[in-house]
Amino acid sequence: MTTPGTLPDQHTAANEAPPGADLAPHRVAGPRRWWDWVLAADPGLGQLQTGWRTLVAMVTALAVGYAMAEALGIPDMIGMMVAGMMGLMSAFAVAENTWDRLARAILWMPFPYTAALWLCATLNGDRLPQMVLMVAALAVIFLLARFGAVPLVTGMMLFNGMMVGMLAGIPVALVGKAFAVALVSAAAVLVTRLLLCYPMPREDLLRTQRAFVVEARRVADAAVDAVDPDSDQERAVRRMDRSLRRLNITTVTIDGRLAQPEVAADPDAAELLHRHLFDAELALRGIGQAVQELTRLPVPEQLREALAVGLVIARDTPIREAEGLQPAAAHIQERAEAILADPAAPADDVEAAVLARRVGHLLDSLARALHNWLTLGASAVAGEAEVPFKPTVALENNRLPGSAGPTRRVLAGTTESGWRRAIPYIRVPAHAAVAAAIVVPISDAIDPHRFYWGLVGVMITLFGTNTTHERLRKFGHRMVGTVVGAVLGILLVHLIGRDHVHWTLVVIVAGLTFGAWGMARAYACWVVGLVVALCQLYAMTTPESGMDHLLGERLLDNGIGVLVATACAALIFPLARRTVVQEAERGYVDVLAQVVAQVEQRWTQPDTPVRLRGAARAVDAALLQVQAVAKPLVRMPVGVSGPAAEHRVALLTSATGHARALASAADIDVDLPPRLVERARLVTATVTESLKELDRFFATGEPEGAYRRVSPLLRELRTELAPARSGPRAQRLHTALRELDALDETLAAYAEQAGLPVATGNRAAQRPASPMQRRTRAVMAAWGEPRPEPQAP
């Protein structure tokens, strides 16, 4: 078993490209560049790529549609509308990362699209069947979405074909020509995307790694300001916290990209990259925490200067020269040791010296992690890694998963028998069908020519949302974005006029491009860009006096569609938000139990391969899911509507930090006597069993047992280990036990918040008070009355 913190022997490959040579090239490790802020704001450039893809696809499609309309003798508007849909949907619905899957999806789009156009044309303007078919097509979208990208594209093109067919009134005689326009424009879009937007998943990984470097420098820069007594230290600490959060998201994203088979063909090199970035992030996080503590202390001037110099070097040194951090780290440690060796040093100076010494150790660890990362990119691994990389983070559309995972688990757990097994497949289609059936008559009464606006509201509400809170947040974004987009769109109509077609097309393409770029950042950005583009289209056929009324109708129809869809989702096969939140927390507890179980396996069976860092990274991903589903619609002041959920999320955030530190420190070969091995096994087994008890509590809702604290066991174990000879392994073992103790304390507080009894040692656990009892005690306390003591079970 390879001792973590060390790597297999490496050598430079002389005559062939090494397996990991593309993991950290110069563009990742090079000096600062002016565009680094773009990479930091958009790791992997996913948002920018979406905007660029939309620009390329829309320009190509509109140009080809216009040319094909001229060549085939059909109205220009029909040609551009048919072709424009090919460009728009290829940009939004097709984001494959291999050329063959990209070609298959884009070239398939004209077939369902034209079939829907033909079906709409054969109805010869009979609106009732057309409306029924549009409702059915909307439900089909969500039914096919579960079966992959191409089925999803099929459903979307059927719906869009019905909508365009009703809007443009394309006769049956022109459907064949419309198919030719769609097919040629789709082929042209494919060619331009392969030329100008070729999918390069490995390049996306490299850009994400560069974002890691940029955020690491930002952490160091904020730390420099935090140790400067003349700067705004509170503001510097807030900056550092933000950068650490972004750094964590970036490293989790890197793990998710490594899980894609097109990115990490060599699992050994991928595992080493995962380890080095995990260790680098852990070191930076420790530096941030230590510096934050130092801001509360009077730091001796010489020690402060050493810290400032070391952090400036960490900020400004290119990571290819990361070993240059080690002399600065040694200098900080020397200054700290000098203070610690002085028996007359004040207590505050001693505390500051201990923290500074820790910063020095962490800078040294950071230097090693960065050096090993860069070495991995420049040389081959002589021997295979003991534990190949295995995915622990799964990206969804190249983004970190949110509420979808817990929602799927809840559905799977409650629909395991009989006809209910079909619920995961028909639930959202049923929402869409019922909501559309309600919305269509209302929208038709408002404006018979544009009733589809209500259907669009239904569709956008159900896409990418899993809880009522998410749908209501989307409703807010939709309303605000529509108002802002309408104002900007009307101003642009007045600015460029109604007769400058080319400038109108420029604004349409620019609006859609901006919206595509900003969608991942805030849904309102997409709505603003879309409405700006639509204003230019509406201006071609609507008098100036009718624009306000038209946009008001659109806002009303969209709002009705969103609210009706939200209500249907809440009433038909409902999933309570509380249930989804609880499932997310249950998933977190499960992956955390795996970390503790792997610690036990690492200490008691050193020859068994384990991936402690990978298990800890899964805890990060689980925490992001908890945060996604527990985020309130409106953040209330403490004491209003109860802050219990936020308190639990804060405790899980703290537990995640301890789990990371435990995974790194515990990944060592221990050599303990059998009785101490058994005692360590008892500690980890007790924590694991307590986490399983939490899991059972979440599953049943009733506390069958208790969370048992292991602090007495840990104290006994650390006391017996104290006389042992000190050394790097002993220090790491003591660190692991300390982090395990802190993790146990945090989890005990979390269990108490969740409602599970907590026991320490052999002391019996008290049964938690019921909600009614807690409210009664709170009221009595407010009256100044003595509260009755809780009775032991």
Side-chain angles (χ1 to χ4, degrees), residues 1-4 598-608 610 612 662-681 684 717 721 724-725 727-737 740:
M1 184 72 192
T2 303
T3 301
Q598 289 200 31
V599 169
E600 177 184 336
Q601 195 173 26
R602 183 72 178 89
W603 287 352
T604 60
Q605 304 173 36
D607 294 332
T608 303
V610 296
L612 272 171
L662 172 64
S664 178
D667 208 356
I668 55 172
D669 294 325
V670 296
D671 185 16
L672 297 176
R675 61 184 181 83
L676 293 185
V677 170
E678 287 304 315
R679 193 178 292 275
R681 190 200 302 272
T684 53
L717 180 58
L721 288 172
R725 187 175 58 184
R729 285 191 183 183
Q731 290 178 358
R732 289 185 61 177
L733 181 58
H734 281 289
T735 300
L737 295 176
L740 187 58

Side-chain angles (χ1 to χ4, degrees), residues 337-643:
E337 293 294 348
I339 294 174
L340 294 174
D342 183 3
D348 285 345
D349 288 5
V350 171
E351 186 177 355
V354 170
L355 290 169
R357 183 175 60 182
R358 184 183 174 203
V359 170
H361 285 306
L362 290 169
L363 280 174
D364 189 62
S365 299
L366 177 64
R368 287 200 305 272
L370 294 177
H371 174 73
N372 289 335
W373 173 26
L374 270 295
T375 304
L376 173 64
S379 62
V381 180
E384 293 185 357
E386 293 291 336
V387 186
F389 180 81
K390 293 181 181 178
T392 53
V393 179
L395 300 183
E396 297 179 356
N397 295 323
N398 284 326
R399 292 194 295 269
L400 293 172
S403 60
T407 303
R408 283 195 294 263
R409 294 197 299 270
V410 170
L411 283 172
T414 57
T415 58
E416 295 178 344
S417 61
W419 68 272
R420 296 183 64 84
R421 286 180 291 185
I423 289 179
Y425 298 92
I426 66 172
R427 178 175 176 268
V428 182
H431 296 165
V434 175
I438 295 172
V439 166
V440 164
I442 299 174
S443 299
D444 187 59
I446 295 173
D447 187 345
H449 298 291
R450 298 181 177 88
F451 72 91
Y452 57 86
W453 283 344
L455 292 179
V456 170
V458 172
M459 182 174 66
I460 60 99
T461 302
L462 298 177
F463 255 118
T465 61
N466 298 285
T467 65
T468 301
H469 280 57
E470 290 178 342
R471 295 181 186 107
L472 291 177
R473 278 197 295 267
K474 203 167 191 178
F475 170 75
H477 279 256
R478 189 78 179 182
M479 297 298 101
V480 171
T482 299
V483 172
V484 174
V487 172
L488 294 177
I490 292 174
L491 288 176
L492 287 170
V493 168
H494 286 297
L495 181 63
I496 66 177
R498 297 167 179 261
D499 301 323
H500 298 83
V501 177
H502 294 93
W503 280 110
T504 298
L505 291 175
V506 168
V507 173
I508 290 172
V509 173
L512 293 175
T513 301
F514 168 78
W517 170 80
M519 180 184 290
R521 189 169 296 275
Y523 180 71
C525 292
W526 158 244
V527 181
V528 169
L530 175 65
V531 175
V532 166
L534 290 175
C535 284
Q536 315 311 307
L537 287 175
Y538 298 156
M540 294 180 182
T541 57
T542 306
E544 184 175 341
S545 59
M547 284 289 288
D548 294 343
H549 177 71
L550 184 66
L551 291 170
E553 282 186 358
R554 177 181 173 80
L555 184 67
L556 178 61
D557 282 342
N558 273 191
I560 291 172
V562 172
L563 293 178
V564 170
T566 301
C568 289
L571 296 173
I572 301 172
F573 303 128
L575 282 183
R577 175 175 176 268
R578 178 184 178 87
T579 304
V580 178
V581 171
Q582 193 172 68
E583 179 58 36
E585 294 184 27
R586 185 182 180 188
Y588 178 94
V589 168
D590 180 63
V591 294
L592 188 59
Q594 294 178 30
V595 173
V596 179
Q598 289 200 31
V599 169
E600 177 184 336
Q601 195 173 26
R602 183 72 178 89
W603 287 352
T604 60
Q605 304 173 36
D607 294 332
T608 303
V610 296
R611 295 187 66 246
L612 272 171
R613 290 170 176 80
R617 190 57 77 205
V619 175
D620 277 318
L623 177 64
L624 290 174
Q625 291 188 3
V626 173
Q627 291 171 338
V629 300
K631 182 167 57 175
L633 180 65
V634 178
R635 191 171 296 278
M636 304 296 289
V638 174
V640 180
S641 190

Side-chain angles (χ1 to χ4, degrees), residues 163-377:
M163 186 169 62
V164 171
M166 289 190 66
L167 221 112
I170 301 175
V172 175
L174 292 183
V175 170
K177 292 182 178 181
F179 174 70
V181 172
L183 190 61
V184 173
S185 60
V189 167
L190 174 62
V191 170
T192 53
R193 281 191 58 172
L194 290 177
L195 289 175
L196 301 176
C197 316
Y198 192 84
M200 294 181 288
R202 288 178 183 252
E203 292 296 319
D204 295 340
L205 172 64
L206 295 175
R207 296 187 191 103
T208 312
Q209 289 178 253
R210 179 69 181 183
F212 176 92
V213 174
V214 176
E215 287 298 347
R217 284 175 174 155
R218 286 182 173 179
V219 172
D221 184 60
V224 170
D225 288 344
V227 298
D228 184 358
D230 297 327
S231 66
D232 187 345
Q233 292 182 317
E234 291 185 3
R235 180 173 178 272
V237 168
R238 289 195 300 270
R239 280 175 49 213
M240 189 162 53
D241 288 340
R242 286 194 301 269
S243 293
L244 286 170
R245 285 195 297 270
R246 290 193 295 260
L247 186 74
N248 178 251
I249 291 173
T250 301
T251 48
V252 175
T253 303
I254 290 173
D255 264 37
R257 291 193 184 279
L258 286 173
Q260 298 172 345
E262 296 83 6
V263 175
D266 183 354
D268 299 325
E271 173 63 15
L272 292 175
L273 172 62
H274 155 79
R275 290 184 191 177
H276 302 329
L277 292 183
F278 183 95
D279 291 342
E281 184 204 353
L282 192 64
L284 286 164
R285 188 170 292 278
I287 290 170
Q289 292 170 348
V291 169
Q292 185 172 355
E293 292 295 324
L294 283 167
T295 60
R296 303 187 180 99
L297 295 171
V299 183
E301 189 58 32
Q302 289 186 336
L303 186 59
R304 187 187 299 277
E305 289 177 0
L307 285 166
V309 169
L311 293 171
V312 167
I313 291 174
R315 181 192 65 188
D316 296 337
T317 301
I319 63 170
R320 284 193 177 278
E321 302 171 9
E323 60 272 15
L325 289 175
Q326 291 172 332
H331 181 57
I332 294 173
Q333 293 175 41
E334 289 173 4
R335 290 289 175 90
E337 293 294 348
I339 294 174
L340 294 174
D342 183 3
D348 285 345
D349 288 5
V350 171
E351 186 177 355
V354 170
L355 290 169
R357 183 175 60 182
R358 184 183 174 203
V359 170
H361 285 306
L362 290 169
L363 280 174
D364 189 62
S365 299
L366 177 64
R368 287 200 305 272
L370 294 177
H371 174 73
N372 289 335
W373 173 26
L374 270 295
T375 304
L376 173 64

